[in-house]
Amino acid sequence: MTKVYVGMSGGVDSSLTAALLVEQGYDVTGVYMKNWTQDLPGMKCPWADDLADAKRVAVQLGIDFKVFDFENEYRHKVVDYMIEEYKLGRTPNPDIMCNQEVKFKLFLETALEDGADMIATGHYAKAVGGSWNMVDGKKEFNTDASHLPSTIYHLQQAADTNKDQTYFLYRVTGKALQKTLFPLGEFTKPVVRDMAKERGLITAGKKDSQGICFVGKIGIREFLSQYVEQKSGAIIDKRTGKKLGHHDGAIFYTLGQRHGLDVGGGLPYYVVGKDMDKNEVYVTTNLNDETLWRDTVGLQNLHWINSAPQPGEYKIRIRHRAPLTDAALTFTDTGVELKLHDQQRAITAGQSVVIYDGDVCLGGGIVA
RNA sequence: UGGGAUGUCGCCAAGUGGUAAGGCAUCGGCUUUUGGUGCCGACAUUCGGGGGUUCGAAUCCCUCCAUCCCAG
């Protein structure tokens, strides 16, 4: 009997994930990953409630339940990374780092050491095993051959393209996917909710979590201000060079941002750049500003789930939930250069661009 | 000190006798397992102050105040 450790966050998705695995005959253990427990000013960290919910579901399902304490590693690998990136004037994506370093590395390793054969999460994604065959001189991925030594594991988009979370998962490894189950990959969110309800899971009606897990309800700005000193600087109109107002730190602003500038009069202003040394934020009312719309992007810090792709035409995604768009990929000394067929708005340094071949998520990199 | 112009929500700005548009900002909500975007909703009993005319004024008159521009 395959022993599976399910990451249970106390939400609907991971609850149903565990329930489905039980029904499918796995030997299931629920695991709550304790990543962040600190209260923040103006917000109580909901970890205790989430843990309680996860535990209640585990009891409901009659499965073993454990807590893995990753607080230390999470703080270093995810939170520190995030703060450092912001300090450099970039806009990181901590959830991608969390998946890379914690869920599909630390959790996986810890679970395996603890006796698990596989892990599972409630992500909307598919891990598909198979191997490459030559058919009529063309490479084909044969999923029937998922037991061969040559088998590799692909990350594929979820059936529910609206909820697909492969964007957040592009930095996992094919090797990790081999040990991973994504039972929700075939279902749409409404169906998941219904199934959770049918099974009487106490989390069935729980609202989807949003925002960075540990930041939760409060904003990134409030979170960051705990770690960096607020320093007043100028908000400057890019076209006229005129000073329009003040901000409390360029670190709090990101490309394309509209709100929080407290400058008004006429048209809305959008952030089009910033200078961390001068602590200046540049804005414009020009919706077509050339730094806001780009059709080329350089990627560094590349990560490929299996192997690096050949140069050529691919689908890419610039941010979570953005539609896939066409781009030509070439390699450079430092990484990858993408030439997009259509311009995309606010491609931001520190954010990730994820590359797809059809439904298959190949990997990606971080915007230089 | 003469001459001209202007003063309507934090900002921009309609409204020239009939009982305060709209946009930005802000706030709240929705969307979203990053940031961000987007969407919806709220937001001036009051029009620089004070008088007056009128059934009725932000809109007309008087006066004061403030700001800007040109002269000096």
Side-chain angles (χ1 to χ4, degrees):
Chain A
M1 206 166 165
T2 307
K3 199 169 170 64
V4 180
Y5 277 35
V6 187
M8 295 179 74
S9 65
V12 219
D13 294 336
S14 57
S15 297
L16 184 73
T17 299
L20 292 176
L21 291 170
V22 170
E23 288 167 24
Q24 288 164 19
Y26 289 99
D27 174 6
V28 179
T29 296
V31 178
Y32 179 83
M33 283 176 246
K34 200 169 130 208
N35 296 330
W36 184 268
T37 62
Q38 215 177 93
D39 291 337
L40 295 164
M43 193 206 69
K44 187 165 165 48
C45 179
W47 81 278
D49 292 336
D50 290 338
L51 170 60
D53 284 340
K55 201 166 187 173
R56 287 166 74 189
V57 172
V59 169
Q60 213 174 347
L61 297 173
I63 59 175
D64 287 342
F65 185 77
K66 301 187 176 209
V67 176
F68 286 179
D69 186 346
F70 297 147
E71 258 195 290
N72 204 24
E73 293 89 340
Y74 188 87
R75 169 70 215 235
H76 291 305
K77 301 278 191 185
V78 181
V79 181
D80 286 351
Y81 156 78
M82 186 182 94
I83 294 168
E84 285 314 307
E85 284 284 289
Y86 268 110
K87 281 182 180 169
L88 292 171
R90 299 154 61 86
T91 307
N93 187 327
D95 288 351
I96 285 174
M97 193 51 74
C98 173
N99 285 327
Q100 174 177 248
E101 294 294 334
V102 179
K103 291 182 182 150
F104 295 91
K105 184 178 278 179
L106 190 57
F107 171 53
L108 174 61
E109 288 166 1
T110 310
L112 294 180
E113 277 169 29
D114 201 56
D117 299 307
M118 302 189 82
I119 60 165
T121 69
H123 283 106
Y124 288 82
K126 297 179 191 172
V128 179
S131 58
W132 291 107
N133 289 347
M134 294 300 284
V135 178
D136 297 334
K138 273 169 59 181
K139 272 175 85 176
E140 266 190 15
F141 195 64
N142 181 0
T143 55
D144 294 332
S146 58
H147 56 282
L148 300 176
S150 60
T151 294
I152 59 167
Y153 279 75
H154 277 164
L155 180 66
Q156 279 189 19
Q157 290 204 86
D160 186 344
T161 50
N162 187 46
K163 281 299 284 187
D164 176 63
Q165 290 169 328
T166 50
Y167 179 80
F168 292 106
L169 294 170
Y170 86 94
R171 295 189 86 85
V172 305
T173 64
K175 225 179 144 202
L177 291 175
Q178 187 168 5
K179 299 282 185 189
T180 302
L181 295 170
F182 293 129
L184 302 191
E186 304 291 342
F187 303 111
T188 63
K189 182 75 190 198
V191 169
V192 165
R193 276 230 124 88
D194 287 346
M195 289 194 293
K197 221 168 286 174
E198 279 168 25
R199 287 161 176 76
L201 299 178
I202 59 122
T203 50
K206 202 168 166 184
K207 194 176 170 355
D208 287 13
S209 68
Q210 51 186 249
I212 307 168
C213 30
F214 57 88
V215 176
K217 191 72 180 153
I218 72 165
I220 188 73
R221 183 199 182 98
E222 287 72 19
F223 178 81
L224 276 179
S225 59
Q226 298 299 306
Y227 297 89
V228 301
E229 144 190 34
Q230 308 218 359
K231 221 174 61 201
S232 183
I235 295 174
I236 294 170
D237 188 307
K238 179 187 173 186
R239 287 186 291 190
T240 63
K242 211 175 140 197
K243 184 171 164 182
L244 297 173
H246 297 276
H247 63 256
D248 289 325
I251 191 171
F252 300 120
Y253 297 86
T254 191
L255 185 61
Q257 179 171 342
R258 166 174 177 176
H259 295 282
L261 294 162
D262 203 22
V263 289
L267 296 168
Y269 284 94
Y270 294 89
V271 174
V272 289
K274 55 182 185 174
D275 184 318
M276 293 303 284
D277 293 331
K278 292 185 185 166
N279 195 29
E280 288 178 345
V281 173
Y282 307 105
V283 299
T284 186
T285 55
N286 178 13
L287 293 172
N288 301 314
D289 183 273
E290 72 271 13
T291 50
L292 216 44
W293 291 93
R294 288 167 55 194
D295 60 3
T296 60
V297 51
L299 263 35
Q300 45 188 220
N301 230 311
L302 303 176
H303 176 87
W304 306 112
I305 290 170
N306 287 297
S307 51
Q310 295 299 308
E313 295 288 325
Y314 293 93
K315 298 280 187 188
I316 65 156
R317 187 167 358 240
I318 225 77
R319 76 182 95 242
H320 179 49
R321 285 176 58 80
L324 290 178
T325 184
D326 293 302
L329 179 155
T330 53
F331 286 91
T332 64
D333 293 344
T334 54
V336 144
E337 171 98 358
L338 294 172
K339 169 85 181 127
L340 315 191
H341 291 206
D342 300 302
Q343 293 187 327
Q344 298 288 306
R345 186 179 185 279
I347 300 174
T348 308
Q351 291 279 294
S352 286
V353 173
V354 179
I355 297 160
Y356 296 80
D357 182 1
D359 259 359
V360 179
C361 176
L362 302 174
I366 294 181
V367 177

